[in-house]
Structure formats: structure tokens, C-alpha cells
Amino acid sequence: MHFTPVEIQETVDMFLSHKLDIRAITLGVSLLDCAGSSGTETRRRIREKLLRVAGPLVKVGTDIEMEYGIPIINKRVSITPMAMVAGASDDVDYTPYAKVLDEVAKELGIDFVGGFSALVQKGFSAGDTRLVDSIPEALASTDRVCASVNVATSRNGINMDAVRRMGVVIKDAAARTADRDGLACAKLVVFCNAPDDNPFMAGAFHGVGEGEASLNVGVSGPGVVKAALESHRGAGFDEIADVIKNTSFKITRMGQLVGMEAARRLNVPFGILDRKSVV
């Protein structure tokens, strides 16, 4: 990607004057190969794989910040829905899995780990039931782990048993963290129509159709769009549309640059560039 001096100056102004930043780089990691009949062994494999694959993430993000002068606010990891990984194990309570994720995140300096998740739109497997029942304690006893449960899709309808159960889970999670303003609930998402792969916290998880790992980027530039619109007050609708389109392109191009460079250094594919947070 090549940039003219004018384009470089525009980007610098976006950072300095309009609060443009990379909201997050999120590394999705498949943990399917960590599943086993022993919970202790499964957690050991999870820890080893995350340390190996996600170990360089924070350093890569920090290096890019220093080299390009681009703020990267969060470095995150999303994993295969834990109900699928832990379902083969002999564990009844999945809280220890959340604690392993939390420990690895703190050790590596990762801000959040998403994927303590279950997909139950058509019903509960044994692993789904155990994970959902573990959510309140798992979120209350960890700091950086996020959970999600998909309870409905347009194609399959609504799993009302799951809706009822998640109501109980939310109240329990809130009660267990009442002294922290119900923090556990801020790390929990209940979905309808969850996408196959979602790198965006707190509902992040690495889709089962994804590869071993992928790098995703979220860009936050509403201040840049606001400034561009303020400089075109009184303009017609067509001109305003062009301003938004051109400004968004510049913002996402910067995000693409960061994402491609981070993915290259991590030796993983570049997945999603989040444009929704641009406007």
C-alpha cells in the first residue's frame, strides 16, 4: 500500500485532532485439537496452545504502535466456543477452564478472552448445559474472560428453555458481582442470530468453520467522520454521502494496513476489518 504526503498528513490529523485509533486487534484461535476426556489434560493443552499461538500478540501490537504511531487500544483473543472443547471431558463444572483463560490472558498482557460460549438455538448438549450453569461463577471469579450464549436464529426459532435459563444465569451473575456493580453481566452476551465467527467482545468466539488462527481488526473513527461533516455544513445530501464514503475509506484503509501487518508478523490470515465502529 502506497501513500502520498497529503494522505499521510490527513492520517496524522485524524490521530491528533479527531481521536482515530485501532479499537482492537483480536486473534482468533481454534482449540478443537485441545479437547480430550481428561479435563486436566484439556486445560493443559489449552494453556500451551494459547501461549504458543497468542504469545507474540501483545508485542506485535506494541511494536506496530511504536513504528507507525497508530494507537491500538486493546489486544484480544477469541477461542472456539468452550462448550465444544470441554464437552468431551470428565468435568461437570467448567469454571476451571475460565480460570485458565484468565491466567493466560494476564500472563500475556491480553485485555480480554472471548469464547466461554455455547450455541444452543436448537437445544442443549451435555457440554452446553454444563457451560451455561458455570457462567455465573466463571465470570465472577475471572477478570478478563467473556461469555456468550446463542439462544435463537431466524431459521431455527427461539429456544425458550435457553431464554428462561439465561434469565436465571444473568441474575445469578449480577448477584455474585453485586459489590462490583454486576461486572459479570458486562462480560456476558445473549445472542439471537450470532454470526458463525465473531471477533467483537464481549460476544467474541472463533467460529468452528475457521482455520487454526486469524487476525481481526476493529477501527474506531467516529470523531473523524464528525469533523468531516462539520466542515461541510450546509452541503447537499449527495455531497454529504461522498464525504462519509471518502472519510470511511481512509479510516478503514488505515485499519487494513495495521491488520495486514499484524497478521504478517503473527503468520496468520487477516480476517475481518470491523467497519461498523467507524460511524
Side-chain angles (χ1 to χ4, degrees):
M1 301 176 70
H2 300 286
F3 300 91
T4 67
V6 172
E7 290 173 325
I8 293 172
Q9 185 59 54
E10 285 180 340
T11 303
V12 171
D13 291 340
M14 290 179 186
F15 292 131
L16 296 180
S17 303
H18 308 308
K19 308 301 182 184
L20 174 64
D21 59 52
I22 298 293
R23 185 54 46 186
I25 55 174
T26 304
L27 180 65
V29 181
S30 173
L31 298 182
L32 290 174
D33 58 343
C34 298
S37 59
S38 166
T40 301
E41 177 64 16
T42 299
R43 289 190 291 275
R44 183 191 66 79
R45 294 174 183 172
I46 289 172
R47 176 180 174 80
E48 288 183 355
K49 184 164 188 180
L50 289 178
L51 290 175
R52 183 179 75 253
V53 178
L57 178 64
V58 172
K59 183 179 187 305
V60 165
T62 302
D63 288 347
I64 291 175
E65 284 185 281
M66 297 297 294
E67 292 174 28
Y68 290 86
I70 298 173
I72 301 176
I73 307 303
N74 290 293
K75 291 85 173 176
R76 304 168 174 172
V77 167
S78 63
I79 62 168
T80 308
M82 185 55 72
M84 298 180 181
V85 180
S89 73
D90 52 8
D91 290 307
V92 175
D93 179 14
Y94 289 176
T95 302
Y97 292 90
K99 290 184 176 180
V100 166
L101 298 176
D102 200 53
E103 290 167 3
V104 171
K106 291 176 179 177
E107 185 174 339
L108 296 180
I110 292 167
D111 296 289
F112 292 103
V113 177
F116 195 79
S117 307
L119 309 177
V120 300
Q121 59 269 16
K122 293 187 70 177
F124 286 89
S125 68
D128 294 329
T129 299
R130 293 168 184 168
L131 183 131
V132 169
D133 289 346
S134 301
I135 285 176
E137 180 58 24
L139 296 185
S141 60
T142 60
D143 298 314
R144 306 188 186 190
V145 175
C146 297
S148 62
V149 178
N150 190 65
V151 300
T153 66
S154 297
R155 179 176 180 179
N156 297 306
I158 304 173
N159 182 344
M160 293 305 297
D161 289 334
V163 172
R164 179 193 60 80
R165 177 168 283 183
M166 289 311 300
V168 175
V169 166
I170 290 169
K171 291 184 66 176
D172 191 1
R176 291 177 190 239
T177 54
D179 59 335
R180 292 176 283 163
D181 296 323
L183 177 62
C185 294
K187 302 187 293 172
L188 172 61
V189 175
V190 181
F191 277 117
C192 293
N193 289 317
D196 292 336
D197 177 64
N198 180 20
F200 311 122
M201 299 297 168
F205 59 86
H206 188 64
V208 294
E210 299 293 314
E212 277 293 293
S214 62
L215 195 284
N216 307 288
V217 175
V219 183
S220 178
V224 180
V225 177
K226 179 176 182 290
L229 292 175
E230 287 178 344
S231 67
H232 289 78
R233 288 185 179 275
F237 184 82
D238 290 345
E239 184 177 350
I240 289 297
D242 284 338
V243 169
I244 295 174
K245 179 178 66 176
N246 293 333
T247 304
S248 298
F249 170 75
K250 294 173 184 178
I251 294 170
T252 54
R253 182 176 56 178
M254 183 273 298
Q256 183 178 5
L257 170 66
V258 170
M260 292 176 65
E261 181 61 20
R264 182 188 68 79
R265 298 186 187 193
L266 291 167
N267 194 31
V268 299
F270 177 42
I272 297 173
L273 173 63
D274 177 21
R275 296 172 176 84
K276 296 188 292 299
S277 59
V278 170
V279 294

